Amino acid sequence: MTDLSVLYDARFRQAGLERRNAVWRVLCRSFFSKLIAKDAAVLDIACGYGEFINNIEAREKHAVDLNPDAAGRLAPDVRFHRTPATDLSPVKTGAVDVVFSSNFLEHLRSKDECDQVLREALRVLKPGGTIILLGPNIRYAYKEYWDFYDHYLPLSDRSLGEGLMMAGFTLEKVIPRFLPFTMNSGAPTADFLIEGYLALPIAWKVLGKQFLLVARKPEAAA
């Protein structure tokens, strides 16, 4: 197994693959489907085992990851590209309506790498396309943030918002506190509990330690 295969296997099995998939099924159905049209072409950067891209409804689905095991976890309608997020060359310029990434940017080694990812996301998006980014917010998870061996780049909703604007995006939505930090906590994950949480933004301000940012590629961008 590659290093990524070992890490993914250990971490995702600890959280429970079926449990993770069930949570993402609700997240996609009750929240992200409101941000992503069913006729959209969607790219999931650092797709993991496909928890998001397998569950979101979309006309066309692309997934990027360096872990070779990821391909075997994806639904038949997902096109897998084994490539680094800093080089999305398998995806054509202006080919997708939505770029999505969850809990990935903190694994990058530097702001330069993050800039490369954001520039590549801008390139593959159609003019007017949307980028959706979810990840641990260092402002609220400054202790547990470093409990993961492969966390390198500390980001907050504010710093990433600036990075998106510097890359050429226009910010549309910034939620500093959205989801809890991790699924490894053992907290109940029944569908009705997740749906209730999503319906109560006041709960996000108490339990949320992950940011959610939504930004758009300008219509006039190349």
Side-chain angles (χ1 to χ4, degrees):
M1 298 176 76
T2 67
D3 290 344
L4 277 177
S5 297
V6 173
L7 187 61
Y8 276 32
D9 186 68
R11 185 171 297 167
F12 288 170
R13 287 189 185 282
Q14 181 182 359
L17 295 177
E18 292 300 325
R19 184 169 178 259
R20 288 181 59 86
N21 189 65
V23 169
W24 274 100
R25 185 166 56 245
V26 178
L27 290 174
C28 287
R29 180 181 69 228
S30 300
F31 187 87
F32 289 109
S33 63
K34 298 174 183 178
L35 302 177
I36 300 171
K38 292 182 180 179
D39 64 348
V42 180
L43 168 65
D44 185 1
I45 296 178
C47 65
Y49 285 157
E51 295 91 341
F52 164 78
I53 200 66
N54 285 344
N55 286 298
I56 196 67
E57 289 191 63
R59 171 182 54 83
E60 182 179 320
K61 300 182 183 183
H62 297 264
V64 165
D65 207 290
L66 282 177
N67 181 12
D69 292 347
R73 303 279 185 172
L74 301 178
D77 62 340
V78 180
R79 303 179 193 177
F80 178 67
H81 310 283
R82 191 182 177 197
T83 185
T86 53
D87 177 15
L88 301 177
S89 54
V91 183
K92 294 181 180 178
T93 298
V96 300
D97 300 287
V98 178
V99 169
F100 177 89
S101 191
S102 171
N103 288 259
F104 166 63
L105 298 179
E106 66 273 15
H107 302 285
L108 299 173
R109 297 300 183 104
S110 67
K111 292 284 181 67
D112 285 342
E113 281 195 353
C114 189
D115 289 340
Q116 291 177 52
V117 172
L118 297 181
R119 285 195 296 267
E120 277 291 87
L122 188 74
R123 179 187 65 79
V124 301
L125 279 169
K126 299 175 182 178
T130 300
I131 185 170
I132 302 171
L133 299 173
L134 177 67
N137 193 332
I138 194 67
R139 293 172 60 201
Y140 307 111
Y142 53 89
K143 293 181 180 179
E144 55 267 67
Y145 200 91
W146 303 113
D147 287 343
F148 293 88
Y149 189 71
D150 56 344
H151 279 195
Y152 297 99
L153 186 61
L155 290 168
S156 72
D157 56 299
R158 296 173 182 174
S159 61
L160 184 55
E162 288 187 345
L164 283 164
M165 290 188 291
M166 290 173 63
F169 287 97
T170 300
L171 282 176
E172 291 203 332
K173 183 188 294 288
V174 177
I175 302 177
R177 304 179 73 131
F178 179 45
L179 296 180
F181 179 71
T182 179
M183 294 184 194
N184 290 346
S185 64
T189 55
D191 287 10
F192 76 93
L193 291 175
I194 300 169
E195 290 169 351
Y197 178 85
L198 293 173
L200 290 173
I202 191 170
W204 307 354
K205 296 181 179 180
V206 177
L207 300 174
K209 292 192 176 184
Q210 294 194 48
F211 55 66
L212 177 72
L213 275 71
V214 181
R216 190 170 299 276
K217 177 177 179 176
E219 293 283 352

